[in-house]
Every structure is written in structure tokens, then in C-alpha cells.
Amino acid sequence: MKVLFVYPKFEATFWGWQDTLPFVGKPAAFPPLSLRTVKGMLPESWQSRSVDLNVRGLRDRDIEWADRVLVSAMDTQKKSAKEVIARCRKFGKPVDIGGPILQAGCEEFPDASTFFLGEAEETVPQYLADMESGGLKRIYSSDHFPDLAKSPIPVWERDDYRYYACGFAGCTRGCQYHCAFCNVVAINGDIPRSKSVCQFLKELDALYEAGFRGPVMLADDNYIGSKKVTKEMLPQVIAWQKKHGFIFDFTTEVPITIADDSELMDLMVAAGFRKVFLGLETPNKDSLVECGKMHNAKRNMASCVKIIQSHGLIPMSGFIVGFDADNPDNFDTLMINFIQETGIVIAMVGVLQAPVKSLLYARMEREKRLVALPSGNNTDCYPNFVPKMPVARLVQGYKNIWKTIYSPKEYYKRICKFLENYDPSKMSIKKAGLIDLTAFMRANFWIGLLGGPKVSCYYWKSLLATVFSKKYKAFADVVAFQIYGAHFRKVAEKIQRE
């Protein structure tokens, strides 16, 4: 059996980092972890090839070679996925598809041959067994949340490291928090599951042997879902990093409750964790209560952010506007002030969407306020339901937030505020590699010289302010922030045009 793995093209989004990629000379941000994991499940007798449409185009000879085509995709890959299916059908090749793109159902992909609903560790073995017996089904589904010991080590390809700006791995799945706007509990369960220490270290070995170096994203719903398991694993990760010269910088998702555990934060920094994504959502406590985010509502989030920064971690966050409890008179000002005062440089602000299988989606259905499926675009200016706030005011305020927080001056102020709170002394400093030096030189030219008067001015001010301060160890982080800023300004400009 000859299988062609195809990863559809992403639309340009905040988390796609498309405008940062020229700085590091990579065509794509993240490799297709899902497909590399499924590849590890295939029988040794099967042949496989891979095409990531974010890296290169799909050629006729790729399709002609294959017996079957396997596609994994997210909502922001929907357009490309449909094009892939249509093209493969013209060649008479069956297309099997899975991933989060199917959460809303299979109806949008009538020409697909087989659908995978649920986690691959459950559905793919059934598919392979039926393929062997000749009785392939249309849909393979499972509501069971498998033991992650069943998950194989991803099989990376020889040149993957050349194409992607960041490595990808997974340690845990599931989240105990039932946030109304989130469907993770429906997809991965509310009991956090974790891979064994040995299993995770083998994934790091696989990334290392494949040539990946530098940033690695952990695709976890809540990395500290079980603090006991995390604390048992981190000393082994520290030992692995020491053995390999601290070649990886990890990014993962954690709740704000991490601020309560200094030991855990110190272990994470010692293991090479640099950035943590926090779902802070909103400074409006009534809105936090509305969406079930009680672990945020019961604390001073600004103080917690400063604690996290002071331990040497860089907090990023997602923010949401459009809750029923949001005040039309000041929701945008409230959001802007909170983001600026906490020094959260990487702040993704979105209009509330109700994802399929979320508590919010069910409520909007009951209240007959649902108007469409979620777009999957995290910077869509419009909700997929009728908000309590006038839509025109919601959109106007949303655009105001983006216009303000990603203006050169306010972005610079946020970097300075971050540096006030941040303690970079605990992190290991690596020797800059060729990619780092190339990105720095390109940033000096593209942002420092060609960015325009305001952008260039604040670029150099931020770099000089870091060099001539006690936070000089954060210099590489500030350069990275400025490169990210070039991307965020493009996203902000796009939002203003909508």
C-alpha cells in the first residue's frame, strides 16, 4: 500500500506567524505532528510520502504515485483541504481525512472516502485492521480517550528541520477546566492524560536526531493538568537538556494557577521552558464568571502575570471580547489597559466564537442566537451568534484594541513593562546560531532601517534599552518580540480593513 500524507495550507492567522518566517528563512512555522504520528502507526510493509502545502505545492505525480491519500486538517485549512480532495478525486484516488476540521461534522466533505472522528490511537488501528480484511468503513469513530502509552513516537522526515521554524511534540492531553467557549473537554476529555517520562524523552530524541534545534512547541491542552506527573517528569527533561547542551526552548499552555507554585515554575525554567500561553481571556470578572473561568475570576490576574514573569517565564495570552457581560461603553479601554499594564507582549485578542461541542455553542442554540458555524479564524471581527452588545460597537471596539496595542509606541511600552517584571537570570544562555544571527541582521535591516520612522525608532529604542540595563540577558527575547511585532502589525492592518 502506498500512502500520500497531505497537510493542507493554512490561511494567514495570528498564530500562523507567516510574516516572521522570512526572518528565519523557513517556509512554515510548525510541522504536521498529527500526520507524523499516524505515520508511526503504519505497517512496515506500507510505503509513504508526505506533502505539506505550507512548504511546497502538490504535484500530479505525487497523487499518481499513491494508492490512498491521508489528510489531517484544522478549520483554518478547510479551503485547502477541499481543494486537495477535489484534485485527488479527479485522479480517482480515495482521500481519508481526520482532525479538528471534522468537529462540525463530515457533511462539508462529501467526496472524502473515509472519516476519522476521535483520537488516532483509537481509530487508525481499526482502519488498518479493516484495510487488511478488505472491509473498509466510511467512518471510524471513538468516544474513548486512549492511554497515551498507545501513542507512537512521531516519524520525522529527513529534511523536516529545514522547512519549519519550530519543532513540535506532545506530552499531555485533556483539561480539567470546563470553559464555556472551549471544546477541548469534548475532544480530549476533562481528565488530563500524560505520556510516560521515557516516552516523552524518546520524542525529544526523535526531534534531535531529525535535526531540529531551538524552539519546540508542546501541543498540550494543559501541560500542568497533573502537577505531580509534571514535577516527576521535569528533572528528567533537565537531565536530557544538560546532556544535549540545552538545544530546545519549550513553549506550552498552562493555566494562571501556575503562579501559585514557585517550585514548578523554577523546574520549568531549568528544563528550558521559555514561553507559556495563559488563557486570561478578559479583565472583566463578570465575563470570567459567565464563561466558567472561575480559576481566573478568583484571583488578581495582573499580580499573577508579574509573578510568572519574575520567575523567568514569558507569558503569552489569549483575550476575548463579546461576552454578554462586557460593557459596551468601556470593554475596549479595559482590555487595552490590562494588556499594557501587565506587559504581555504577545497578546492575541479575538471576538468570542462558539465552537461546536462547546457549552457556549449549546447555550446559543438553546437561546436561538446561533447564526453560523465558527469561522476558525481567531481574528474574525464577527461572532457566530447574536451578541448582547450591538455588533457595530463590538467590531469598532475590537478594531480599536488592535490598532492601539500593536501601534509601535504602545508595543514598545509593553516590552518595557515586560522587562520591568522579567527575570532572565535563571535561564540558560545559548550561543547564537546561524539562523539567530541571520534573523537579527534581517531585523536590523527590514525593521530597523526599512520599517518606517516610528517602527524603526522604537525598534532601536527597545534594543538599546535592553543592552544598557540589568536585563541584558533578555536581548534575544526583545529582538524576537520586534520580529513578532512585524507580523502582528500586518494582522492589525488586515483587521482594520475588514
Side-chain angles (χ1 to χ4, degrees):
M1 177 67 66
K2 293 184 289 187
V3 174
L4 177 66
F5 291 106
V6 178
Y7 200 50
K9 189 173 181 62
F10 280 100
E11 295 179 16
T13 64
F14 183 95
W15 296 118
W17 303 103
Q18 283 86 356
D19 298 297
T20 67
L21 297 174
F23 290 89
V24 294
K26 304 283 186 177
F30 306 109
L33 178 62
S34 56
L35 292 178
R36 297 295 187 265
T37 302
V38 171
K39 185 176 180 179
M41 301 179 186
L42 299 184
E44 291 184 3
S45 60
W46 286 28
Q47 301 177 54
S48 68
R49 294 180 182 175
S50 300
V51 177
D52 182 347
L53 298 186
N54 301 281
V55 173
R56 73 164 177 89
L58 182 62
R59 301 172 298 210
D60 289 349
R61 64 176 179 269
D62 296 322
I63 304 171
E64 290 169 343
W65 171 86
D67 295 318
R68 301 189 75 87
V69 177
L70 265 65
V71 174
S72 176
M74 303 173 70
D75 282 343
T76 51
Q77 296 168 287
K78 184 181 293 185
K79 179 182 176 183
S80 179
K82 289 181 176 181
E83 291 170 352
V84 169
I85 293 171
R87 188 170 169 193
C88 290
R89 292 293 290 181
K90 289 181 179 179
F91 285 85
K93 305 292 182 176
V95 179
D96 307 324
I97 185 170
I101 197 171
L102 299 180
Q103 288 305 312
C106 308
E107 294 77 11
E108 287 197 70
F109 307 96
D111 291 332
S113 299
T114 303
F115 299 99
F116 297 99
L117 306 178
E119 296 183 49
E121 291 83 359
E122 291 290 314
T123 58
V124 171
Q126 301 172 30
Y127 167 84
L128 295 175
D130 287 351
M131 183 70 74
E132 184 71 21
S133 65
L136 207 60
K137 295 194 285 284
R138 173 80 162 161
I139 296 176
Y140 289 87
S141 64
S142 174
D143 295 326
H144 179 64
F145 302 122
D147 183 346
L148 294 188
K150 293 181 178 181
S151 188
I153 305 302
V155 179
W156 300 105
E157 300 193 351
R158 183 178 59 187
D159 291 329
D160 276 346
Y161 76 96
R162 298 179 185 275
Y163 303 132
Y164 301 102
C166 185
F168 226 166
C171 185
T172 70
R173 291 182 204 160
C175 180
Q176 63 268 50
Y177 299 113
H178 291 250
C179 305
F181 55 80
C182 180
N183 58 7
V184 163
V185 167
I187 298 171
N188 288 334
D190 60 1
I191 300 176
R193 294 164 286 143
S194 180
K195 295 175 180 176
S196 68
V197 174
C198 180
Q199 195 175 3
F200 181 63
L201 294 183
K202 285 182 178 178
E203 287 205 22
L204 297 186
D205 286 335
L207 283 169
Y208 178 80
E209 291 164 6
F212 284 97
R213 301 291 185 269
V216 172
M217 172 70 75
L218 299 188
D220 293 6
D221 303 314
N222 178 0
Y223 178 69
I224 63 169
S226 170
K227 287 187 179 182
K228 179 177 181 294
V229 172
T230 305
K231 287 183 178 181
E232 290 172 353
M233 180 178 290
L234 284 170
Q236 300 299 316
V237 177
I238 293 169
W240 189 96
Q241 286 272 55
K242 286 181 178 178
K243 179 180 177 182
H244 295 83
F246 286 89
I247 57 165
F248 291 148
D249 298 327
F250 298 113
T251 297
T252 194
E253 182 167 353
V254 297
I256 191 69
T257 56
I258 193 175
D260 302 334
D261 197 327
S262 292
E263 178 193 12
L264 178 56
M265 288 186 284
D266 289 342
L267 282 170
M268 289 179 66
V269 171
F273 283 80
R274 299 295 300 280
K275 299 184 184 73
V276 289
F277 179 84
L278 310 171
L280 300 181
E281 320 310 350
T282 174
N284 184 331
K285 288 191 180 294
D286 291 337
S287 295
L288 289 172
V289 172
E290 174 190 327
C291 70
K293 204 96 178 187
M294 300 307 298
H295 54 290
N296 286 13
K298 293 178 179 179
R299 61 182 60 233
N300 184 321
M301 293 196 300
S303 296
C304 290
V305 169
K306 291 179 181 179
I307 291 171
I308 294 168
Q309 291 166 335
S310 70
H311 276 77
L313 290 168
I314 301 173
M316 311 179 289
S317 184
F319 295 96
I320 299 173
V321 295
F323 292 107
D324 288 353
D326 281 356
N327 186 337
D329 294 334
N330 68 353
F331 77 94
D332 48 346
T333 303
L334 189 69
M335 184 70 76
I336 291 167
N337 290 343
F338 181 83
I339 292 171
Q340 293 299 122
E341 290 166 6
T342 53
I344 297 176
V345 181
I346 305 172
M348 209 308 293
V349 187
V351 172
L352 183 63
Q353 295 273 323
V356 176
K357 296 187 178 179
S358 68
L359 296 174
L360 179 61
Y361 188 93
R363 180 165 75 89
M364 293 299 100
E365 271 195 317
R366 288 196 307 272
E367 296 177 5
K368 301 188 185 308
R369 293 167 60 186
L370 201 65
V371 295
L373 291 172
S375 67
N377 180 355
N378 48 29
T379 54
D380 191 334
C381 292
Y382 298 90
N384 63 326
F385 60 90
V386 179
K388 290 289 182 69
M389 187 187 310
V391 172
R393 170 62 184 131
L394 175 59
V395 173
Q396 183 267 330
Y398 178 60
K399 290 184 176 183
N400 180 42
I401 293 170
W402 271 89
K403 182 180 179 180
T404 302
I405 66 172
Y406 287 113
S407 67
K409 182 178 181 179
E410 298 304 318
Y411 192 66
Y412 165 75
K413 286 182 179 179
R414 207 152 69 251
I415 291 174
C416 292
K417 176 61 71 172
F418 163 78
L419 289 173
E420 285 180 21
N421 304 324
Y422 183 54
D423 181 5
S425 64
K426 299 177 183 179
M427 68 182 185
S428 59
I429 301 296
K430 299 194 304 291
K431 184 178 179 181
L434 180 60
I435 291 177
D436 303 310
L437 294 172
T438 301
F440 179 46
M441 296 307 296
R442 288 172 174 166
N444 288 341
F445 186 67
W446 293 341
I447 305 174
L449 295 179
L450 303 181
K454 287 186 179 179
V455 170
S456 296
C457 172
Y458 288 113
Y459 173 82
W460 293 113
K461 282 186 72 173
S462 64
L463 267 58
L464 292 172
T466 309
V467 168
F468 296 107
S469 75
K470 295 180 181 180
K471 306 295 178 70
Y472 63 88
K473 281 189 174 182
F475 182 77
D477 296 316
V478 173
V479 173
F481 287 152
Q482 287 292 354
I483 292 173
Y484 303 156
H487 170 64
F488 300 151
R489 285 189 294 275
K490 293 285 184 66
V491 176
E493 290 168 3
K494 180 182 176 183
I495 289 171
Q496 299 308 313
R497 294 193 298 267
E498 290 184 358

